[in-house]
């Protein structure tokens, strides 16, 4: 019996299930507004850093386990809970706290328009009151997200072009915009 218990405790799948259950309990126990960030690439890392620097708790969902392990060792100053799971699946978003009354917003910044679209749609259908921010590279994904009442859809290429145009045509206004 003791040998079975020891081998069970060393099993990586069992340890992963225990960690996930502990994280889910932590999210359910949250008693202040938090943000659910889906995707921990470059944009996700910047968003998490900006939110935690302002003292906002954050829950991160990314299917790449290496990125989650990197996040777990970073000292961000505020509470960050991370899940190594696929954000495309609505059940995973619910487990990460989408239906929690303290979920203030969902930020979909994965590298895939398809995933961001699924996250935006799931978030709006499962929690009508949550504010959803999503990144979209294509016009069709942008239109789809807006049709499901995604609150903010950002196309990074269009935004970059807008800022470059402002910097070229009206440099003083660009400096003011950048300063603000």
């Amino acid at each position: 019996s003791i040998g079975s218990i020891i081998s069970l405790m060393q099993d990586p799948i069992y340890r992963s299930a225990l960690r996930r259950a502990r994280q889910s309990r932590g999210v359910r126990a949250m008693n202040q507004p938090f943000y659910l960030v889906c995707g921990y690439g470059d944009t996700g890392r910047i968003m998490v850093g900006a939110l935690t620097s302002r003292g906002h708790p954050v829950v991160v969902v990314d299917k790449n386990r290496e990125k989650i392990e990197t996040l777990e060792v970073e000292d961000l100053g505020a509470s960050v809970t991370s899940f190594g799971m696929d954000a495309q699946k609505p059940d995973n978003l619910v487990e990460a706290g989408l239906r929690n009354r303290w979920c203030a917003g969902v930020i979909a910044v994965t590298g895939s328009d398809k995933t961001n679209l699924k996250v935006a749609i799931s978030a709006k259908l499962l929690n009508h009151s949550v504010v959803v921010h999503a990144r979209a590279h294509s016009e069709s994904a942008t239109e789809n997200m807006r049709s499901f009442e995604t609150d903010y859809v950002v196309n990074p290429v269009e935004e970059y072009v807008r800022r470059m145009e402002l910097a070229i045509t009206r440099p003083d206004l660009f400096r003011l915009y950048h300063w603000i």
Side-chain angles (χ1 to χ4, degrees), residues 36-48 60-62 67 87 106-113 115-117 119 133-137 145 154 156:
L36 178 58
V37 177
C38 300
Y40 194 67
D42 293 333
T43 307
R45 184 175 295 112
I46 292 168
M47 290 301 306
V48 169
V60 176
V61 176
D62 195 297
K67 290 180 182 178
V106 175
I107 302 169
V109 288
T110 68
S112 162
D113 275 356
T115 302
N116 292 339
L117 177 61
V119 168
H133 303 262
R135 175 174 63 189
H137 293 294
M145 287 179 193
V154 177

Side-chain angles (χ1 to χ4, degrees), residues 68-128:
I68 296 300
E69 289 171 357
T70 301
L71 173 63
E72 290 172 351
V73 297
E74 291 181 28
D75 182 26
L76 296 169
S79 172
V80 177
T81 304
S82 56
F83 289 91
M85 57 190 179
D86 191 357
Q88 290 188 68
K89 298 179 181 176
D91 291 341
N92 289 345
L93 294 175
V94 170
E95 183 178 343
L98 177 61
R99 286 194 169 158
N100 187 312
R101 71 184 188 113
W102 293 105
C103 184
V106 175
I107 302 169
V109 288
T110 68
S112 162
D113 275 356
K114 180 181 170 186
T115 302
N116 292 339
L117 177 61
K118 285 184 177 184
V119 168
I121 291 170
S122 297
K124 277 303 189 181
L125 292 176
L126 295 172
N127 187 346
H128 300 288

Side-chain angles (χ1 to χ4, degrees), residues 23-41:
Q23 291 166 327
S24 294
R25 278 193 308 274
V27 169
R28 285 192 305 271
M30 283 188 176
N31 58 1
Q32 62 180 336
F34 68 91
Y35 289 89
L36 178 58
V37 177
C38 300
Y40 194 67

